[in-house]
C-alpha cells in the first residue's frame, strides 16, 4: 500500500504564492521520482514538475522560473513552491510517485487524491 497525502492548496490572488506538500508512506521504496501533475476542467492531466531520486528536476515550460520543486528525503515529502501565480494555473494538483524496480516494466505509479488550487481575484 502506498499513501500520498497532499496539502497546501487553496484560493490565491493572481501574483500570489502557495506551497504544496505531498507526504508519501507505505511501500514506496525505492523511490525513482516524485512530482506534481495538474488537471484543469476539460483538460488533460499534465506534468507540472518532477524530481528524480538523484535530485534532477524537470519543469513544464509554462511554470519555469515561477515554480520550484524540492524534496525532503528524511520525510519522504515533496514540495511545490508556486509563485507569481496566474489564473491559468488554476487546476487540481495531483502528487505522483514512481516506485523503481530492477526492470522498468515492474515500476509502479501512484497518485494522490489531488488538491485544488484556484487563482482568482
Amino acid at each position: 500500500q502506498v499513501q500520498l497525502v497532499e496539502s497546501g492548496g487553496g484560493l490565491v490572488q493572481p501574483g500570489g504564492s502557495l506551497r504544496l506538500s505531498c507526504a508519501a508512506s507505505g511501500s514506496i521504496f525505492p523511490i525513482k521520482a516524485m512530482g506534481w501533475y495538474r488537471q484543469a476542467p476539460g483538460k488533460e492531466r499534465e506534468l507540472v514538475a518532477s524530481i528524480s531520486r538523484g535530485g534532477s528536476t524537470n519543469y513544464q515550460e509554462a511554470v519555469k522560473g515561477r515554480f520550484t520543486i524540492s524534496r525532503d528525503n528524511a520525510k519522504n515529502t515533496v514540495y511545490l513552491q508556486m509563485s507569481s501565480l496566474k489564473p491559468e494555473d488554476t487546476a487540481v494538483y495531483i502528487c505522483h510517485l514512481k516506485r523503481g524496480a530492477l526492470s522498468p516494466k515492474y515500476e509502479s505509479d501512484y497518485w494522490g487524491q489531488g488538491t485544488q488550487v484556484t487563482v482568482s481575484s
Side-chain angles (χ1 to χ4, degrees):
Q1 290 277 3
V2 172
Q3 295 82 41
L4 300 175
V5 179
E6 302 127 325
S7 61
L11 173 64
V12 63
Q13 292 186 342
S17 299
L18 280 176
R19 188 176 85 149
L20 306 182
S21 300
C22 173
S25 63
S27 302
I28 60 175
F29 297 106
I31 297 174
K32 183 172 182 178
M34 292 187 72
W36 292 92
Y37 285 69
R38 67 186 180 186
Q39 187 164 20
K43 294 189 176 182
E44 296 287 320
R45 183 175 295 188
E46 59 181 9
L47 174 68
V48 177
S50 65
I51 184 165
S52 72
R53 180 169 51 200
S56 298
T57 57
N58 180 46
Y59 295 93
Q60 179 192 117
E61 194 65 34
V63 308
K64 284 182 179 178
R66 300 189 297 122
F67 291 10
T68 302
I69 191 168
S70 61
R71 191 179 68 204
D72 184 331
N73 291 332
K75 297 181 179 180
N76 299 322
T77 299
V78 64
Y79 304 96
L80 186 68
Q81 178 67 48
M82 306 185 292
S83 302
S84 302
L85 282 160
K86 305 175 181 179
E88 51 264 44
D89 293 318
T90 295
V92 175
Y93 284 69
I94 305 159
C95 181
H96 170 254
L97 181 147
K98 181 178 286 291
R99 188 175 65 191
L102 291 177
S103 171
K105 67 179 180 180
Y106 295 118
E107 293 176 348
S108 302
D109 293 284
Y110 298 93
W111 302 91
Q113 292 294 313
T115 184
Q116 177 69 45
V117 172
T118 302
V119 185
S120 175
S121 55

